[in-house]
Amino acid sequence: MEQYCVKKVYEKIRGDREKVEWRKLIWSNYGAPKWLFILYLALNRRLSTKDRMAKWGVTSNLTWSLCQVEDEDIDHLFFACMFIAGIWKKLLAWQGIQRTGGKWHEEIQWATTHMKNNTNKAKVYRMVLAGTIYHVWIERNNRIF
């Protein structure tokens, strides 16, 4: 008879699903739980942005209320908008990261590649990323509602 192991039971129940590459951004993050929840939704592209609401027939005005330049989607909302990109650039400089921020998918790809370890720099980056996403989302909601 084989010895009982919780890990083996969990793996059997879980199945052979692939782990997402951005999992470290959520599960190894010391940010506030509400930050992590919004980051999780953003990573899964489940935030109710105006482009998603337009597909549901809820709204017809797609313009991002902060810059009034482009339509609101997750790519523009996070890091492509000139205002948010400026803030993100300053936050990267504050952390001592010498790079320019990219678009949403580029930033997440960079983070999953370079900030997956447990150094203090990586921990701070993950918290700043989650906090930035959360506060941009809250500001967006405050402007709309």
Side-chain angles (χ1 to χ4, degrees):
M1 184 167 173
E2 195 174 328
Q3 187 175 357
Y4 179 78
C5 179
V6 173
K7 181 179 179 181
K8 288 181 182 178
V9 171
Y10 171 76
E11 288 173 351
K12 190 71 168 173
I13 293 170
R14 183 178 178 270
D16 292 332
R17 284 187 251 148
E18 216 176 281
K19 291 182 179 179
V20 293
E21 60 186 27
W22 47 258
R23 68 187 181 278
K24 269 283 216 194
L25 297 179
I26 299 288
W27 307 123
S28 297
N29 196 322
Y30 295 103
K34 58 186 176 181
W35 296 1
L36 302 179
F37 180 70
I38 296 300
L39 178 59
Y40 178 80
L41 291 176
L43 288 167
N44 283 296
R45 296 182 148 321
R46 294 294 185 232
L47 290 174
S48 295
T49 54
K50 287 185 178 180
D51 67 323
R52 287 192 75 213
M53 288 191 289
K55 290 176 187 174
W56 303 332
V58 175
T59 186
S60 59
N61 178 15
L62 298 179
T63 307
W64 166 217
S65 57
L66 181 64
C67 68
Q68 299 288 327
V69 175
E70 291 191 37
D71 289 348
E72 178 186 303
D73 63 359
I74 200 161
D75 297 313
H76 183 71
L77 189 65
F78 301 117
F79 311 127
C81 173
M82 64 182 177
F83 294 110
I84 307 305
I87 293 168
W88 186 241
K89 182 178 179 180
K90 288 179 183 178
L91 287 170
L92 288 175
W94 173 76
Q95 295 175 76
I97 298 173
Q98 301 300 322
R99 62 178 287 274
T100 57
K103 294 181 180 179
W104 171 251
H105 66 279
E106 294 168 352
E107 195 62 39
I108 298 306
Q109 184 61 43
W110 186 87
T112 56
T113 305
H114 295 90
M115 295 296 168
K116 61 184 174 184
N117 54 22
N118 281 327
T119 64
N120 289 334
K121 184 175 184 174
K123 290 176 185 177
V124 169
Y125 175 87
R126 290 191 297 260
M127 284 191 297
V128 169
L129 176 67
T132 302
I133 298 303
Y134 173 78
H135 287 289
V136 168
W137 185 248
I138 293 303
E139 180 61 28
R140 175 249 185 219
N141 289 340
N142 287 339
R143 287 178 181 266
I144 292 175
F145 304 111

